[in-house]
Amino acid sequence: MSGVLSLVASLGAIVLGFVRAAGSLALFALAAVSHLFRPPFYWRNFLSAFVEFAYFSLPVVALTALFSGGVIALQSYTGFARYNAQSAIAGIVVLSVVRELGPVLAGLIVAGRVGSAMAAEIGTMRVTDQIDALGTLSTNPMKYLVTPRLLAGTLALPLLVVVADILGVLGGFIVSVVKLGFSPNAYIANTFSVMQPIDVNVGLVKAAVFGFLIALMGCYNGYHSRGGAQGVGSATTASVVAASILVLAFDYMLTEMFFSR
Amino acid sequence: MSGAVTPPQGTPKLRIRGLRKAFGSKQVLDGIDLDVASGTSMVVIGGSGSGKSVLLRCILGLIEPDAGSIEVDGVDVLRLRRREREAVNRRIGMLFQNGALFDSLTVWENVAFGLMARRQINRRDAREKAGDVLRQVGLDPSVGLLSPSELSGGMQKRVGLARAIAAQPEILFFDEPTTGLDPIMGAVIDGLIVECVRTLGSTAIAITHDMASATRIGDAAAMLYRGRLVWQGPAASLLESGNPLVDQFTHGRREGPISMELRR
Ligand SMILES: Nc1ncnc2c1ncn2[C@@H]1O[C@H](COP(=O)(O)OP(=O)(O)OP(=O)(O)O)[C@@H](O)[C@H]1O
Ligand SMILES: [Mg+2]
């Protein structure tokens, strides 16, 4: 009996902790977003975060997308599309890249690269009193640190995903033409006949949501880190883990929302 | 705005009553009463870990106290709403114990940060002004182009001081301004603090372990021990206060009423 009770109690504690964390995260996000509508806006911080997101992640995202597109072409050829390959493979590549792989891969890569760096930077600022110092210098730390980064993430990820989409399709194209010997013109025609505007749009919406979430997790964990270098380290890890899980979870939810009719 | 109201004559710039703060079971501040008159400087001494930094953080709103009141110009800042509190904090400059310089910015951007944040000045003027303030704290303006991580500890301290005074705030907090400086530079910084208080008419609270510095900076002095201010008086009488706690502390004696407790 007491075993059951303590089980229920610890379960309750877990649920409560989860609700509390989610609530505090939601409040944090709300506060940061509300600063978007109250001047000043820190353009410099926005631009440097944007560059961090878009530019420095570009090579990794591009390479990943290129290879993924190629792999999909190869896999679907050897796997199941051998008999109708010409027309099917182009469609499989473009849909999987534009709807799923582009946003998800870009999201996971950026979470690991940029989200973690963000958590480390803001976390270091927290444990060395720099965030407190901002407050004594007529500057709201949320507005200065968090809001520009959230906006940068939300705007930069779609840009990255456009590049990932193009290179993913290119990867599939190269494999299909060079290795499988398809006609280049037919491949391109097939690609465009299968791809609908909604595929691209949903991919970009996903990207924007992922970008927001990644920046949010980086900022939130950094902002609330405590206890020196170790605290910053665990904040960094937490931000990557949380952002990755959120990217995958929201990917499912958004897919469900837009495509499951 | 709260700051616009002129306080009645004789109201201290800063009045603290019954301030209490505990971290878990550890009562760090246990009923602090402190007045700092306008245009004077108060030196707070006390052992390491006695809660001096916590006291300043409470006044700045970086730590929420458990009880008590903190009045700035007669207004209890603990009852203010966020915006009003931020307006009060804008009138306070702080030198943090570890400098807390922004390491993603250059030195001059650090010094001019508060000026630029108030938007009363463009970047070029801010940079020039930063050079002036750096010179005031004994640094060459060319240091402004370096990043804080390229400075020695003492230089970082001076940059932190420059940042705190650049916007000429009404109230200045110095958390161990001279720790880590050589004696001459320490004296220079002390002189600078005194000058700020005199020329700007600022009110200052300085935390220090350095008795020479304390008597140079302070008009008044107070000693924090076990969460309370066990002694207050003129800074000049620190060395002959007649209070056994203060005596032991200022003369650095091992024997006396203060036994070094192990920290819990
Ligand atoms: N955020 C916090 N959480 C928990 N405990 C804290 C916190 N800040 C300070 N303390 C505790 O409060 C006590 C007083 O700390 P404080 O930093 O004010 O000491 P101090 O008088 O400034 O010492 P020093 O001269 O060494 O700087 C310490 O025991 C410290 O452990
Ligand atoms: Mg301290």
Side-chain angles (χ1 to χ4, degrees):
Chain A
M1 190 64 205
S2 75
V4 175
L5 270 182
S6 74
L7 190 72
V8 169
S10 56
L11 212 65
I14 290 172
V15 171
L16 272 182
F18 180 77
V19 169
R20 192 176 302 130
S24 121
L25 182 64
L27 285 179
F28 184 85
L30 217 64
V33 171
S34 78
H35 280 296
L36 211 50
F37 306 103
R38 278 180 278 151
F41 182 75
Y42 294 98
W43 287 102
R44 268 164 197 283
N45 298 3
F46 168 75
L47 283 178
S48 68
F50 190 88
V51 168
E52 192 75 22
F53 264 112
Y55 187 71
F56 290 124
S57 311
L58 200 59
V60 193
V61 170
L63 272 180
T64 312
L66 192 71
F67 282 115
S68 304
V71 163
I72 292 171
L74 215 53
Q75 285 283 22
S76 32
Y77 181 75
T78 54
F80 51 89
R82 191 164 297 187
Y83 303 106
N84 209 355
Q86 281 272 43
S87 57
I89 286 184
I92 294 173
V93 168
V94 72
L95 285 190
S96 37
V97 166
V98 169
R99 284 181 172 191
E100 287 298 331
L101 285 179
V104 171
L105 286 179
L108 293 179
I109 289 169
V110 170
R113 265 189 72 96
V114 187
S116 60
M118 229 162 237
E121 185 185 356
I122 296 182
T124 304
M125 292 187 72
R126 165 60 74 199
V127 301
T128 57
D129 293 338
Q130 291 179 50
I131 293 184
D132 290 342
L134 280 173
T136 68
L137 294 164
S138 315
T139 303
N140 183 308
M142 277 293 245
K143 197 193 279 292
Y144 183 81
L145 293 174
V146 181
T147 306
R149 284 175 167 82
L150 291 188
L151 188 66
T154 312
L155 297 182
L157 256 241
L159 218 68
L160 271 179
V161 165
V162 167
V163 176
D165 287 353
I166 293 170
L167 284 170
V169 171
L170 180 69
F173 175 83
I174 291 172
V175 167
S176 303
V177 171
V178 174
K179 190 165 163 57
L180 308 178
F182 296 175
S183 133
N185 290 338
Y187 188 93
I188 293 170
N190 274 327
T191 297
F192 282 102
S193 76
V194 170
M195 183 177 68
Q196 300 294 313
I198 183 172
D199 298 322
V200 179
N201 292 344
V202 170
L204 295 185
V205 168
K206 281 183 178 179
V209 172
F210 297 168
F212 179 83
L213 291 172
I214 292 162
L216 179 65
M217 293 325 294
C219 293
Y220 179 82
N221 284 294
Y223 208 83
H224 293 102
S225 63
R226 50 190 77 250
Q230 198 186 2
V232 175
S234 48
T236 307
T237 310
S239 80
V240 177
V241 173
S244 305
I245 291 172
L246 282 178
V247 163
L248 295 172
F250 273 76
D251 181 53
Y252 179 81
M253 284 191 274
L254 291 170
T255 306
E256 175 93 30
M257 224 165 92
F258 287 106
F259 290 123
S260 71
R261 269 157 290 147
Chain B
M1 273 224 309
S2 52
V5 189
T6 39
Q9 278 291 307
T11 308
K13 189 78 180 171
L14 209 67
R15 182 206 292 269
I16 297 172
R17 287 292 176 270
L19 192 68
R20 300 167 66 86
K21 177 69 195 175
F23 292 106
S25 64
K26 188 171 159 59
Q27 191 73 38
V28 177
L29 301 180
D30 192 10
I32 300 282
D33 296 330
L34 182 69
D35 286 350
V36 186
S38 186
T40 67
S41 51
M42 162 72 71
V43 168
V44 178
I45 61 172
S48 193
S50 59
K52 305 181 297 295
S53 298
V54 169
L55 174 63
L56 290 189
R57 283 167 173 277
C58 283
I59 303 173
L60 278 171
L62 301 173
I63 292 178
E64 202 63 43
D66 301 331
S69 68
I70 299 169
E71 290 176 16
V72 177
D73 284 331
V75 177
D76 187 354
V77 293
L78 296 177
R79 288 157 189 269
L80 294 179
R81 278 176 296 135
R82 262 187 76 106
R83 291 286 189 79
E84 298 167 321
R85 181 79 190 253
E86 281 174 12
V88 173
N89 281 354
R90 233 163 259 163
R91 295 151 56 201
I92 306 178
M94 163 107 179
L95 166 63
F96 284 82
Q97 185 165 2
N98 60 10
L101 298 176
F102 305 127
D103 43 27
S104 60
L105 302 178
T106 60
V107 165
W108 82 261
E109 285 172 318
N110 266 281
V111 174
F113 195 93
L115 295 169
M116 292 193 286
R118 289 159 191 237
R119 324 232 129 201
Q120 300 153 341
I121 191 168
N122 63 33
R123 268 180 87 79
R124 182 178 309 160
D125 292 349
R127 187 162 172 177
E128 212 154 280
K129 175 88 206 259
D132 293 344
V133 184
L134 282 173
R135 212 175 278 122
Q136 271 191 322
V137 296
L139 290 172
D140 191 85
S142 66
V143 169
L145 295 174
L146 301 177
S147 118
S149 59
E150 295 172 288
L151 304 180
S152 77
M155 286 164 94
Q156 290 184 8
K157 202 115 218 177
R158 281 183 269 166
V159 173
L161 182 68
R163 185 176 71 179
I165 63 174
Q168 312 197 328
E170 291 167 37
I171 301 175
L172 277 163
F173 293 157
F174 305 101
D175 198 344
E176 304 193 10
T178 53
T179 311
L181 298 179
D182 64 77
I184 299 175
M185 191 40 73
V188 168
I189 296 292
D190 288 342
L192 200 67
I193 291 172
V194 171
E195 195 185 305
C196 280
V197 173
R198 257 193 220 126
T199 57
L200 303 179
S202 307
T203 308
I205 297 185
I207 289 171
T208 185
H209 294 294
D210 176 357
M211 284 314 122
S213 170
T215 47
R216 276 195 298 251
I217 303 173
D219 297 311
M223 170 148 170
L224 189 59
Y225 178 66
R226 293 203 168 155
R228 291 169 173 278
L229 292 178
V230 289
W231 178 83
Q232 292 193 49
S237 67
L238 261 176
L239 289 174
E240 53 264 0
S241 63
N243 180 311
L245 291 165
V246 178
D247 270 353
Q248 189 195 346
F249 190 83
T250 53
H251 297 284
R253 296 198 192 100
R254 266 206 296 182
E255 307 296 325
I258 307 175
S259 51
M260 266 304 169
E261 313 142 61
L262 294 178
R263 292 260 73 97
R264 277 162 291 162

